[in-house]
Amino acid sequence: MKKKIVLAYSGGLDTSVLVRILGEDYGYDVIACHIDVGEARDPELIAARAKRAGAHAVEVISAQEEYVTDFCFPALQANALYEGVYPLSAALSRPLIAKHLVKMAKKHGATAVAHGATGKGNDQVRFDLAVKGIAPELAIVAPQREKNITRDAAMEYAAKHGIEVPTTKKSPFSVDENVWGRSIEGGILEDPNAEPPEEAFAWTKSLKDAPNEPIYVTVGFQGGTPVSLDGVAMPPLTLVRKIGALAGEHGVGRIDLMENRVVGIKTRETYECPAAIALITAHKDLERFCTLGMSHRVKTGLDTKYAELIYEGFWFSPLRESLQAFNDVHDKNTTGEVRLRLFKGSCVAVGRTSPFGVYNHNMSTYGVQDKFDHRAAEGFIQLLGMQLAEHSRIHAGGATIHTEAHAAKVSK
Ligand code: ARG
């Protein structure tokens, strides 16, 4: 009996060729597994194509809801933006895909999993680490990485072996998309100084074409998770799609990033992530409203780490899970509504309400309702500045000396 392998099958040229290579060169029975995270492809067509390419079995898994609920929303709780700007749309889908590959390997009694990622990208790291994190006993096969199969070589192989090449309309870019965002690479985008051309984008309007009037949308959160838009409760996937469409219409979510890959390469990456950017803007705002400054400041540092863990492939790791536990507690009271204004590429929180807003108008107002004890500040500052005043006294006005010494130095 042949050994079995589960391949992450996208339905494109590269993974179709892999079905055959894993069968013929590696001697496996190939279970082609397509995990739908919202790539807008026809699952039935994909299954048929995998069969024709020589798959022993095909599994098509619809995972969009799971993706949003178990991956995107936890990342949202962490306001996860890699290097401060990229909402990790491609990165987040890899551990989900890996999880299903492992599940299918167990179901079919496979001893290995395979993927079509290359040796110079982040995705190989994410697939491999995710599999190691949950099923270290499985072998991982990545023919692309082992053999460095170029696009042309794949085309040639397909022609020679009668593997159909998907007739998608020829794009000058390499695109990866799911409900959390779309990444666009290659072609002219490899020139860091070339502005991404309009044809690179599919989900967001240009500033020129975006409506000339702003719109407002209110996002409702329950414990840090979005639950409604404009007061209408809706399931996670619907909500993400709806706000994505609205934000995209107003040109929100375009990102141009000189990015640092895990494998040391610096690349120019272009993204459009309208839903993610809008929701992160809203979540960040409500969190600021509902939590104490001291916790917020700690979380900001942890959020950066959380984003890095996603980017670097450590989704299934004790550290990511511990940070998640922190976020779950921290977000317990992130409940309420944030009003966003979407206009010509910008997304700004302009209002918020919450039963748990740590805000007391009587304390902060300069108006007649002021109940703040102004005299209390005197004692507070007295203690706060005690050491500083003492230091200054000993040094006969320390700060002045420094200033004068500096002035003397520069005037020389
Ligand atoms: N640079 C992005 C990331 O690492 C995009 C990766 C896109 N993947 C792809 N196979 N095209 O998350």
Side-chain angles (χ1 to χ4, degrees):
M1 209 175 74
K2 275 205 210 166
K3 44 194 184 146
K4 291 179 182 168
I5 194 164
V6 179
L7 166 69
Y9 182 70
S10 75
L13 167 71
D14 296 323
T15 48
S16 296
V17 164
L18 283 192
V19 171
R20 189 67 58 89
I21 290 181
L22 287 167
E24 288 187 359
D25 299 5
Y26 290 77
Y28 280 108
D29 269 345
V30 180
I31 295 121
C33 183
H34 180 73
I35 294 112
D36 172 22
V37 282
E39 283 180 279
R41 292 195 178 140
D42 179 346
E44 279 180 24
L45 232 126
I46 285 181
R49 188 178 292 146
K51 269 275 177 213
R52 284 197 295 273
H56 177 76
V58 183
E59 296 274 5
V60 176
I61 294 151
S62 114
Q64 293 192 37
E65 279 92 359
E66 179 190 2
Y67 179 52
V68 169
T69 308
D70 295 351
F71 292 80
C72 302
F73 281 4
L76 173 62
Q77 285 183 281
N79 303 309
L81 293 170
Y82 181 62
E83 300 192 326
V85 287
Y86 163 43
L88 297 149
S89 43
L92 272 170
S93 73
R94 271 43 181 187
L96 166 87
I97 293 170
K99 179 185 155 192
H100 283 286
L101 295 181
V102 167
K103 226 169 150 180
M104 287 302 131
K106 300 226 157 109
K107 175 177 163 189
H108 289 270
T111 53
V113 295
H115 60 74
T118 70
K120 56 193 297 188
N122 296 315
D123 292 328
Q124 52 164 348
V125 180
R126 297 166 185 154
F127 281 131
D128 288 21
L129 293 191
V131 172
K132 287 181 197 298
I134 50 178
E137 69 282 4
L138 289 176
I140 303 163
V141 180
Q144 277 290 355
R145 177 168 63 195
E146 283 173 29
K147 299 173 191 283
N148 190 16
I149 307 162
T150 62
R151 190 92 194 155
D152 287 343
M155 292 278 237
E156 212 173 284
Y157 187 97
K160 205 164 117 200
H161 293 78
I163 296 166
E164 78 190 284
V165 178
T167 49
T168 43
K169 117 171 138 334
K170 175 124 180 56
S171 161
F173 307 112
S174 151
V175 171
D176 183 89
E177 61 185 26
N178 61 61
V179 288
W180 204 235
R182 185 169 176 271
S183 80
I184 316 114
E185 301 172 305
I188 183 71
L189 299 172
E190 289 182 358
D191 175 357
N193 197 30
E195 182 174 352
E198 223 22 65
E199 54 172 345
F201 301 104
W203 295 0
T204 51
K205 283 225 165 118
S206 67
L207 295 191
K208 183 164 68 55
D209 293 336
N212 290 321
E213 292 297 325
I215 59 151
Y216 293 83
V217 57
T218 300
V219 188
F221 286 87
Q222 187 79 48
T225 295
V227 292
S228 67
L229 289 183
D230 290 329
V232 181
M234 57 187 81
L237 179 60
T238 314
L239 189 148
V240 169
R241 286 193 179 291
K242 278 224 157 90
I243 196 158
L246 278 178
E249 174 70 17
H250 288 266
V252 169
R254 290 190 179 186
I255 295 154
D256 184 344
L257 170 63
M258 288 313 301
E259 182 171 305
N260 296 297
R261 282 195 188 162
V262 185
V263 291
I265 297 170
K266 177 133 13 222
T267 49
R268 196 279 186 89
E269 302 285 334
T270 308
Y271 304 99
E272 48 185 347
C273 307
I277 293 298
L279 289 175
I280 291 172
T281 305
H283 179 265
K284 263 189 183 168
D285 185 85
L286 192 60
E287 208 178 38
R288 281 202 185 95
F289 189 41
C290 301
T291 58
L292 301 191
M294 62 194 294
S295 359
H296 185 257
R297 279 187 289 277
V298 168
K299 184 166 180 286
T300 306
L302 298 180
D303 284 352
T304 304
K305 189 67 212 172
Y306 196 111
E308 283 169 9
L309 289 172
I310 297 173
Y311 190 83
E312 292 166 0
F314 286 102
W315 180 267
F316 296 114
S317 68
L319 179 54
R320 206 278 308 168
E321 283 168 13
S322 305
L323 294 181
Q324 186 59 47
F326 176 93
N327 290 348
D328 288 341
V329 174
H330 185 269
D331 249 351
K332 248 189 1 226
N333 297 325
T334 308
T335 294
E337 293 194 326
V338 178
R339 195 162 73 260
L340 296 175
R341 188 193 62 218
L342 310 172
F343 182 54
K344 293 278 185 199
S346 79
C347 171
V348 181
V350 294
R352 70 286 298 158
T353 60
S354 167
F356 308 124
V358 190
Y359 172 80
N360 184 337
H361 184 251
N362 290 339
M363 287 297 128
S364 62
T365 184
Y366 283 101
V368 288
Q369 288 148 349
D370 187 3
K371 293 279 185 304
F372 181 83
D373 178 4
H374 289 240
R375 296 297 302 275
E378 272 176 31
F380 168 72
I381 298 169
Q382 180 82 24
L383 302 186
L384 183 70
M386 198 153 66
Q387 293 190 12
L388 176 65
E390 192 59 13
H391 182 270
S392 174
R393 191 184 60 76
I394 291 164
H395 294 283
T400 324
I401 291 169
H402 288 300
T403 313
E404 281 167 5
H406 179 72
K409 211 159 134 196
V410 280
S411 70
K412 257 200 232 149

